Amino acid sequence: MAEENQRDWFEEWLMIHPDELEKLQKKLGHLDLDYTPESLLRVEAWVLENYSSPDEILKEEEKMTLDGLLRYVGEVFKMHLQGRWNIHQEDPEHLFYNLPVISFPGNIPDTSPLSLITASLDRKSGNFLYDSLNRKKNYMESQGILS
């Protein structure tokens, strides 16, 4: 039953996806969120300017902003790497159990936009999101999955 409820939650989460991305566009419109890989640099710069740590962005009062950010980051990965939104509910031990992830063709590991955002705050490089996308893209190209 809990798995079914979680699947229902995920389906609802996907249904409101366009509206939530539009809210983020309004909030961060000055960043030119155009879904290009380079836009991840602007998003990460904004995140680093506004949050000092992963704990700060994970606070309850930041939940809606974080949700919008993870949706946007996920969409960029999805668009540029032939991905699709997914949720893993089969195995509670799965690294991304019950978290929205981007799944890719072939045997390419999933990407958790939430994990990428929190890791970018931990690393503070300013290009972690962009580099993560490019590393995955280069690997997928080397495997003949992307051309």
Side-chain angles (χ1 to χ4, degrees):
M1 183 70 167
E3 186 175 307
E4 188 175 304
N5 288 341
Q6 200 61 21
R7 176 55 67 180
D8 290 346
W9 168 86
F10 183 64
E11 294 301 325
E12 286 178 35
W13 188 86
L14 287 173
M15 280 182 17
I16 64 169
H17 194 67
D19 295 335
E20 296 304 313
L21 285 169
E22 190 175 311
K23 288 177 190 175
L24 185 71
Q25 286 278 1
K26 287 179 182 171
K27 181 174 183 159
L28 303 180
H30 63 285
L31 297 180
D32 188 24
L33 301 180
D34 58 4
Y35 296 92
T36 61
E38 293 76 20
S39 70
L40 295 175
L41 295 167
R42 297 186 292 275
V43 167
E44 187 167 344
W46 185 88
V47 168
L48 291 172
E49 286 172 17
N50 288 277
Y51 302 97
S52 61
S53 70
D55 289 339
E56 202 172 304
I57 201 169
L58 291 170
K59 289 181 180 175
E60 183 65 28
E61 60 268 20
E62 298 303 323
K63 186 168 75 172
M64 296 309 293
T65 300
L66 179 57
D67 181 67
L69 290 166
L70 79 86
R71 288 173 187 271
Y72 181 80
V73 170
E75 278 301 305
V76 175
F77 274 73
K78 180 179 146 245
M79 291 170 70
H80 293 278
L81 303 177
Q82 300 174 359
R84 65 180 174 77
W85 285 103
N86 195 11
I87 190 168
H88 294 284
Q89 299 177 304
E90 315 78 45
D91 179 7
E93 300 297 315
H94 191 282
L95 179 62
F96 302 131
Y97 180 68
N98 277 343
L99 291 175
V101 296
I102 302 297
S103 294
F104 305 97
N107 202 18
I108 304 300
D110 293 340
T111 291
S112 164
L114 173 63
S115 296
L116 289 176
I117 292 166
T118 56
S120 74
L121 276 162
D122 208 28
R123 290 179 173 79
K124 299 186 185 319
S125 69
N127 58 0
F128 180 76
L129 299 174
Y130 178 79
D131 287 351
S132 296
L133 183 132
N134 282 321
R135 274 193 303 277
K136 190 157 284 218
K137 180 180 180 218
N138 291 339
Y139 179 73
M140 291 174 76
E141 288 171 347
S142 77
Q143 299 300 304
I145 296 168
L146 291 178
S147 51

